[in-house]
Amino acid sequence: MRSKFYLCCFFSILTNVVFAQDNYEIQVYGAETVEKGKTMVEIHSNYTFDGNKEAGKVQLPTNHIIHETIEVTHGFTSWFEIGFYLFNAIGNNNRTAYVGSHIRPRVSAPVDWHLPVGLSFSAEFGFQKKEYSANTSTLELRPIIDKKWKALYIALNPVFGKSFQGPDENRGLIFSPNVKASYDLNKKVALGLEYYGSTGPVLHFDTFNQQQHQLFIVTDLNLSPEWEFNAGLGRGFTTSTDKLIFKVILGRRF
């Protein structure tokens, strides 16, 4: 009963406070949180083979740039964790720099609720430099739903984002759906697809070319309970989306 009470309070606070996932953490989240007393350290790495080549008045181009993100997540209870991110960029023409930081508390539905699907909810708040992101202060609300049917796994992240400083600050909530489907080839290897989108304000979507749509072919390796590995090649389908990105996520539980 106490865990249900805390969980309801957490949801109530966040809905009274309420961006699209950018290319620093390209990941569709599963519902499971980090175990109590455990810490997960992840390195998110990606390289943009074909991105924006023209520098704006403030923003730097994304073509041929490496994004490196360090994520540290600690499980405080069986249903509550907090993650912290350090975003970094590596590129020529003065594009190598520390970019920003986010913090992300997350709660999950306790196992003893016996829900038919995995369910959790995160709120990610932070800042990033204007040279790398037009919106410099943002909050992301991410419901997470997943389900495993034998070898098939599905995860849905219908993300809603709010900008507090930047061109989107008066546009309301931005809808950014993320979806993953994978199939276990065996106990160690899974292949799948990951979709990342950003369609614009919830009540007034942008035109298609102003939206962002990316599809990744990915593989997940389950070589050890302590390790996490995900890699994929992604293609963008609109003029507002980077056209070709390779990403790797490597994680270790302690």
Side-chain angles (χ1 to χ4, degrees):
M1 291 299 294
R2 181 175 296 180
S3 65
K4 291 182 180 180
F5 173 76
Y6 289 149
L7 189 60
C8 290
C9 289
F10 185 84
F11 273 93
S12 299
I13 292 170
L14 290 180
T15 53
N16 285 323
V17 177
V18 184
F19 218 139
Q21 175 168 288
D22 55 28
N23 290 338
Y24 290 92
E25 41 161 337
I26 307 174
Q27 181 179 20
V28 180
Y29 283 84
E32 187 178 12
T33 53
V34 174
E35 301 95 322
K36 179 181 178 181
K38 295 284 189 177
T39 298
M40 168 72 87
V41 178
E42 293 176 293
I43 298 176
H44 300 249
S45 307
N46 64 75
Y47 178 73
T48 304
F49 287 98
D50 187 0
N52 176 29
K53 300 174 179 64
E54 297 182 5
K57 292 182 178 179
V58 178
Q59 264 73 58
L60 295 169
T62 60
N63 194 54
H64 293 176
I65 195 168
I66 298 172
H67 290 146
E68 292 284 353
T69 298
I70 300 171
E71 176 186 357
V72 180
T73 305
H74 184 76
F76 289 90
T77 73
S78 61
W79 51 268
F80 176 66
E81 69 178 24
I82 294 180
F84 181 73
Y85 301 83
L86 290 172
F87 301 141
N88 304 278
I90 302 172
N92 60 359
N93 298 323
N94 297 315
R95 291 186 296 168
T96 298
Y98 161 73
V99 173
S101 296
H102 284 190
I103 189 169
R104 176 189 53 78
R106 177 155 72 119
V107 293
S108 64
V111 176
D112 58 12
W113 288 13
H114 302 295
L115 298 180
V117 297
L119 181 64
S120 63
F121 187 87
S122 72
E124 183 175 326
F125 176 77
F127 74 95
Q128 42 280 331
K129 293 180 179 179
K130 63 182 181 299
E131 293 86 358
Y132 300 90
S133 176
N135 295 284
T136 57
S137 177
T138 60
L139 174 66
E140 173 195 276
L141 299 180
R142 182 185 294 262
I144 302 165
I145 307 163
D146 70 357
K147 179 70 174 179
K148 180 90 173 188
W149 293 275
K150 296 183 178 180
L152 179 65
Y153 174 76
I154 302 289
L156 307 176
N157 295 182
V159 181
F160 298 89
K162 174 72 177 112
S163 169
F164 298 106
Q165 187 172 8
D168 290 337
E169 61 182 291
N170 296 317
R171 302 185 74 205
L173 294 177
I174 305 296
F175 181 53
S176 303
N178 300 170
V179 181
K180 175 170 183 166
S182 66
Y183 187 84
D184 294 338
L185 299 181
N186 51 50
K187 293 182 179 180
K188 302 294 185 182
V189 180
L191 292 179
L193 296 172
E194 294 177 0
Y195 164 78
Y196 302 92
S198 181
T199 59
V202 172
L203 299 179
H204 184 68
F205 284 174
D206 295 331
T207 62
F208 180 75
N209 275 330
Q210 291 177 314
Q211 299 177 14
Q212 296 182 20
H213 298 280
Q214 289 178 318
L215 187 65
F216 281 76
I217 299 174
V218 299
T219 183
D220 294 283
L221 302 183
N222 184 27
L223 304 178
S224 165
E226 287 78 30
W227 288 92
E228 173 188 71
F229 180 86
N230 169 271
L233 184 66
R235 175 72 178 175
F237 297 99
T238 69
T239 56
S240 300
T241 312
D242 288 337
K243 293 299 184 293
L244 190 63
I245 297 177
F246 177 74
K247 64 137 179 173
V248 174
I249 301 172
L250 181 64
R252 176 71 161 87
R253 292 178 178 85
F254 296 92

